[in-house]
Amino acid sequence: MLIVMLIISFGVFMLVSLLPGDAVYAMLGDTISQETYDMVYHELGLDQPLLLRYGNWMLGVLRGDFGTSYQFHMPVVDLLKTRVPITIFLSILATLIAMPLGVLFGVIAAVHRGKKIDTVITLTANACSCLPQFWIGIFLMYIFSVQLGWLPSFGFTWPWENFGQHILELIMPIICLSIDGIAGIARQTRSSMLESIRQDYVRTAWSKGLTERSVIYIHTLKNSMIPIVSLLGVRLSYMVGGSIFVESVFSIPGMGSLLVRAITSKDIPVVQACVLLTAFVTCAAYILTDLLYVLVDPRIKLTQKD
Amino acid sequence: MAKEKNYRYEGISRFFRAMFGRKIVIICTAIVLIIIVLAILAPVIAPYDPAATDYYHMSQKPSMEHLLGTDALGRDVLSRLLYGSQVSLIVGVIAVFVACVIGSLLGMCAAYFGGVVDVVIMRTNEALRCVPAVVLAMALVSVFGGGVRNIAIILGISTVPGYAQMMRAQVLSVVRRDYVTAARLQGNSSIRLLFKHILPNCLSPLIVMMTQQVGSTILSEAGLSFLGVGISVPTASWGTMVSEGKAVLLENPMLGLIPGFCIAVLVISLNTIGDGVRDALDPHLRGEI
């Protein structure tokens, strides 16, 4: 993982060098004098060799210094401090909601395989994973904010500031963000359940005379959870990506909306910081997945001991 | 020779029979074909210029003159929809093509040459996978800029890791087979071995992956355009239209909802076709979903 993070950070650092045009002009505009240009050029360290610049930049990043935003002329860290927690909060909450619901629907579909309820769940899940997230958001907004006037159409409040407001403002973004995950997890659970429902140990469980609930939820589901858990990290990374759209639709001041603004104005330090942070979150999620894996599948631990 | 041709023909006809065995696949193929025809014919059948603004007819409701109404700048929505389908399809196809070529080349090299090549390619691959595809695409857009050609290439690059990983696994499973060893003993070069003997035996998962990726690529393009970092403004793109429609959700909700609906229909149809192709090429998975 450390190597992976190093490669990512080098790639992210190279973004600046790949940029057509000059970073100094991008920062200060075209109308600066030669002296200012030289001064800033030196200040940014652009006269040093590439690897040295990378080293310096990396040291800064490790100390929490992502440089100065071209657009807002303030440290990137200060910009991100209030925004990143919102994005991470949304992604984790949506994952936590999508997980049990998706598993539940998947189990229902698998148990009633071939019946009407299975068809309904499978078709809905297939359709939901094809719908553009931003469009779901606008659709919800049209129904619940414009037509019915029940929910506010934009904004974000932390729960400790105003709990009622927080819940109201969060309903639509979270539905919008988790629908895709619910659909995906439901599909996965269904096919994984169908796989393990055929196994011998399930037949043994039935013939021992165990109740239906115990056979399905303990013997089958526990074994079908392994592939689902293994994709949890990927899920979380999707959620972070999806959160960009949701933030943009519902005007939530998170990292995503900052990233969009930074890209339209070519504010590279902000882009670098955002990419690095999302990669870091995803890496953390992957590591967490590996740990969870051992919990769900004790065989992994045993083979390692042997 | 004639006999071999016959076999090949039989294989193709069996493939089509298996693929179109389900009604839903036929319907979805028809929908996609209709959209493709409409996109090709857009310059002929579109009633207006998609970029022409008309300040006398702004934000109109559907009428005989403008079948789906006009947007906030007086542009005809139907014409923009027709031209938007061109953008979606072109981006989808080019991106998948770029991803497939780069990804499978990398995957093949990694598996065939092994050692340092494998480590370098797969580590980089892993690193790319850690960045969500949307964020990666956005970062690349910030450097190279938007536009149809750039977006297609960027979306292609951001989906390369999946292809590389899949191809690597495929080639690894084939490369130790006897016929590859036999071909090598005949004195074939590495390149000939890779493209003549290994690649054809890895094709079917590649085709499955490509058909399944077209839909999601179109979805990503629409997403980027919606965020305003994709197709630049005067060009009609379904994603941009949704985002323009969002601004006037109160007055004219259809403006945002119709293009989104088009995206959904196109993507659902493409994905169903993808599932059909997978079922036809890979009998193990048939009937699982």
Side-chain angles (χ1 to χ4, degrees), chain B residues 223-273:
Chain B
L224 288 182
S225 301
F226 171 79
L227 292 174
V229 296
I231 310 298
S232 30
V233 173
T235 319
S237 148
W238 289 350
T240 326
M241 290 176 73
V242 175
S243 120
E244 286 163 0
K246 189 201 157 213
V248 289
L249 201 60
L250 268 179
E251 303 93 51
N252 191 359
M254 283 306 135
L255 215 55
L257 296 182
I258 292 175
F261 181 72
C262 291
I263 300 170
V265 168
L266 178 60
V267 173
I268 291 175
S269 307
L270 283 169
N271 283 1
T272 313
I273 295 176

Side-chain angles (χ1 to χ4, degrees), chain A residues 10 28 37 40 54 65 105 128 136 139 146 161 185 204 229 258 280 282 284 291:
Chain A
F10 190 68
L28 299 172
Y37 178 88
V40 178
Y54 170 65
D65 173 20
F105 286 130
C128 280
I136 300 177
F139 192 67
V146 178
E161 284 161 358
I185 294 173
T204 312
V229 167
L258 179 70
F280 180 70
T282 318
L291 294 178

Side-chain angles (χ1 to χ4, degrees), chain A residues 184-212:
Chain A
I185 294 173
R187 281 166 64 168
Q188 243 167 40
T189 312
R190 179 176 177 273
S191 57
S192 158
M193 279 287 280
L194 289 179
E195 193 98 322
S196 52
I197 237 167
R198 281 199 296 253
Q199 302 291 324
D200 288 340
Y201 52 78
V202 175
R203 202 188 312 135
T204 312
W206 280 116
S207 53
K208 271 200 299 191
L210 295 178
T211 56
E212 188 181 343

Side-chain angles (χ1 to χ4, degrees), chain A residues 1 3-5 7-8 15-16 18-20 113 122-123 126-135 138-139 141-142 146-147 187 190-191 194-195 198 237-238 240-242 244-245 248-251 256 259-260 262-264 266 268 271 274-275 278-280 282-283 286, chain B residues 24 120 123-145 219-220 222-224 226-229 238-239 242-243 245-246 249-250 253-254 256-265 267-269 271 275 278 286-289:
Chain A
M1 273 307 163
I3 301 172
V4 168
M5 272 318 278
I7 297 175
I8 295 175
L15 278 180
V16 180
L18 285 173
L19 190 71
R113 185 184 183 184
T122 319
L123 278 182
N126 277 347
C128 280
S129 51
C130 299
L131 291 177
Q133 234 157 8
F134 53 91
W135 186 67
I138 289 180
F139 192 67
M141 201 192 248
Y142 174 64
V146 178
Q147 289 290 324
R187 281 166 64 168
R190 179 176 177 273
S191 57
L194 289 179
E195 193 98 322
R198 281 199 296 253
S237 120
Y238 282 167
V240 175
I244 295 175
F245 295 111
S248 164
V249 172
F250 295 103
S251 316
L259 182 56
V260 173
I263 283 171
T264 38
K266 299 217 178 256
I268 295 296
V271 177
C274 289
V275 177
T278 44
F280 180 70
T282 318
C283 274
Y286 282 150
Chain B
I24 186 93
V120 170
R123 283 288 150 178
T124 319
N125 216 5
E126 219 172 287
L128 282 177
R129 288 205 108 152
C130 276
V131 186
V134 191
V135 179
L136 182 60
M138 284 170 85
L140 290 174
V141 170
S142 75
V143 173
F144 297 111
L219 209 56
S220 315
L224 288 182
F226 171 79
L227 292 174
V229 296
W238 289 350
V242 175
S243 120
K246 189 201 157 213
L249 201 60
L250 268 179
M254 283 306 135
L257 296 182
I258 292 175
F261 181 72
C262 291
I263 300 170
V265 168
V267 173
I268 291 175
S269 307
N271 283 1
D275 286 350
R278 183 201 54 201
R286 198 171 301 163
E288 281 291 321
I289 288 186

Side-chain angles (χ1 to χ4, degrees), chain A residues 29 39 57 67 73 78 112 114 129-130 137 146 157-158 165 174 192 269:
Chain A
M39 202 181 75
W57 178 76
H73 299 290
D78 294 343
H112 301 277
S129 51
C130 299
V146 178
T157 323
W158 283 106
Q165 184 77 7
I174 287 295
S192 158

Side-chain angles (χ1 to χ4, degrees), chain A residues 203-223:
Chain A
R203 202 188 312 135
T204 312
W206 280 116
S207 53
K208 271 200 299 191
L210 295 178
T211 56
E212 188 181 343
R213 175 173 300 188
S214 140
V215 173
I216 287 168
Y217 286 96
I218 297 179
H219 293 258
T220 317
L221 184 60
K222 244 185 160 177
N223 285 294

